[in-house]
Amino acid sequence: MTTVHIRRLTLLPILLLLLAVGWPALRAPRADAASDQEYIALGDSIAAGLITSLPSDRGFPALVTTQLQKLGATQAAPGHVKLSDLAVPGETAETFVTNGQLDAFKNEIASVKAAGIDLKLVTITLGGNDLLNLASVAPADRQAGLDRFKTEYPAAVNDVRQALGGLKPVIVVTTYYDLSGSDPAQQGSDAWWVAQFNDIIRSTAQADGLKVADLERDFRGHITDWTWYPTDVHPNNAGHAEIARLVWAAAGLDGVPPVVTVVKPAAGELPREMPTIAVTASDNVDVTSVELWVNDTKVSSLIYEPSLKQYVGVWDSGSVTDTQATLSIRATDLAGHTTTATVDVTKPSS
């Protein structure tokens, strides 16, 4: 197993993957139960769930599979969702085609068709190793590598689409995050190089009608929260959870918004100056946040209390000068849908 060298991280903090050639892929075990739906994850070590505490459960493909299963449970015939994680650490856009992962994908597609399984989703996470391989080269060589990627990445995506042979799953591609925190608008900066590769990923997706889970945008400002950097450049468990959220929102498979009900306070005069806020919020897949807004200004996030099965908090009505106020509870689900419930209240008279 190849370790991450601090010197390399210092030279190029944009490195998004420790993509050790020859490091075996960590793939989720195939389920023995009959499957009605399937999700295929393609790509490199991020898609393989490398450096999570348990790739088969906490890598983003496993988390997305759980989301698909929850979504199916709300439908007429949920069945079982199978994950085929074919990702290989060390993969580039070129080696995806030449080193066997594309062939494995074609074989899996043949199995899907033979079994009559509904292929719901395919994700493609490629490009990080293409960046990594340019870690210590001269600018001219970096540009040459970028030029190769302009050809090799669209070709790999096209090969995936052709291999589907009439199947029409949702296809989501992922961009890569920048570890440097530098300015992507400054030509030649680490962030600028990341942006050049990501622009190719985005433009390819746009040309082919694919969805984009934009890690570059979402991870900015959260590198220490969602990756192991500077010890390692891979996402941690929280990072994989965030990637799963981005993939789920981009896929657009879940069109059902959350349901929100205000339990406390009731409309009208408040019982005291600092009333308890209590609401119920539910979703067919998962609620990610419940927030209290007062007169269109966010006040706080509400905390889920399992014993009550409610989201709760306390609001200081003295923080507003008006006698009347509109309390809005905004619940957001994993797909990014938001539902708002409101209640109009007045401050207590005494």
Side-chain angles (χ1 to χ4, degrees), residues 144-178:
L146 178 64
D147 292 340
R148 288 192 300 272
F149 189 69
K150 287 180 181 177
T151 300
E152 292 167 353
Y153 183 81
V157 170
N158 184 64
D159 285 338
V160 169
R161 295 175 66 249
Q162 292 300 317
L164 290 170
L167 298 180
K168 296 182 179 180
V170 173
I171 302 177
V172 178
V173 301
T174 64
T175 62
Y176 287 83
Y177 48 84
D178 161 52

Side-chain angles (χ1 to χ4, degrees), residues 29-53:
R30 294 172 181 263
D32 293 329
S35 302
D36 297 307
Q37 298 180 346
E38 185 163 341
Y39 158 36
I40 302 177
L42 303 172
D44 52 35
S45 61
I46 288 183
L50 209 64
I51 317 297
T52 59
S53 56

Side-chain angles (χ1 to χ4, degrees), residues 130-263:
D130 301 83
L131 275 163
L132 176 63
N133 291 342
L134 303 174
S136 303
V137 302
D141 293 326
R142 276 194 189 180
Q143 184 60 52
L146 178 64
D147 292 340
R148 288 192 300 272
F149 189 69
K150 287 180 181 177
T151 300
E152 292 167 353
Y153 183 81
V157 170
N158 184 64
D159 285 338
V160 169
R161 295 175 66 249
Q162 292 300 317
L164 290 170
L167 298 180
K168 296 182 179 180
V170 173
I171 302 177
V172 178
V173 301
T174 64
T175 62
Y176 287 83
Y177 48 84
D178 161 52
L179 296 170
S180 71
S182 57
D183 184 0
Q186 182 181 352
Q187 185 169 352
S189 69
D190 292 338
W192 183 85
W193 280 105
V194 173
Q196 302 314 297
F197 278 80
N198 284 336
D199 283 347
I200 293 170
I201 294 172
R202 294 188 191 98
S203 62
T204 300
Q206 183 176 15
D208 291 346
L210 313 183
K211 310 291 187 178
V212 179
D214 201 341
L215 277 60
E216 178 187 12
R217 179 187 60 201
D218 201 63
F219 272 60
R220 184 167 289 276
H222 296 282
I223 292 301
T224 57
D225 300 322
W226 295 340
T227 78
W228 295 107
Y229 186 78
T231 304
D232 183 88
V233 295
H234 285 85
N236 55 24
N237 288 358
H240 274 274
E242 185 63 18
I243 296 171
R245 186 191 70 79
L246 292 171
V247 168
W248 189 250
L253 294 168
D254 177 10
V256 180
V259 176
V260 184
T261 302
V262 178
V263 179

Side-chain angles (χ1 to χ4, degrees), residues 178-349:
D178 161 52
L179 296 170
S180 71
S182 57
D183 184 0
Q186 182 181 352
Q187 185 169 352
S189 69
D190 292 338
W192 183 85
W193 280 105
V194 173
Q196 302 314 297
F197 278 80
N198 284 336
D199 283 347
I200 293 170
I201 294 172
R202 294 188 191 98
S203 62
T204 300
Q206 183 176 15
D208 291 346
L210 313 183
K211 310 291 187 178
V212 179
D214 201 341
L215 277 60
E216 178 187 12
R217 179 187 60 201
D218 201 63
F219 272 60
R220 184 167 289 276
H222 296 282
I223 292 301
T224 57
D225 300 322
W226 295 340
T227 78
W228 295 107
Y229 186 78
T231 304
D232 183 88
V233 295
H234 285 85
N236 55 24
N237 288 358
H240 274 274
E242 185 63 18
I243 296 171
R245 186 191 70 79
L246 292 171
V247 168
W248 189 250
L253 294 168
D254 177 10
V256 180
V259 176
V260 184
T261 302
V262 178
V263 179
K264 296 179 181 179
E269 185 175 337
L270 294 171
R272 53 188 174 275
E273 186 172 329
M274 297 184 66
T276 297
I277 309 297
V279 304
T280 61
S282 61
D283 186 66
N284 60 332
V285 177
D286 205 359
V287 173
T288 56
S289 68
V290 179
E291 299 172 341
L292 168 64
W293 291 62
V294 178
N295 296 337
D296 296 323
T297 299
K298 180 181 175 181
V299 173
S300 65
S301 294
L302 301 183
I303 305 300
Y304 185 69
E305 175 49 60
S307 63
L308 299 174
K309 297 183 179 180
Q310 295 175 351
Y311 292 83
V312 298
V314 175
W315 173 55
D316 180 6
S317 64
S319 61
V320 295
T321 56
D322 294 339
T323 301
Q324 295 182 327
T326 298
L327 308 185
S328 300
I329 307 300
R330 302 185 184 183
T332 303
D333 68 8
L334 201 62
H337 305 303
T338 296
T339 299
T340 301
T342 62
V343 57
D344 293 324
V345 298
T346 58
K347 291 183 179 182
S349 56

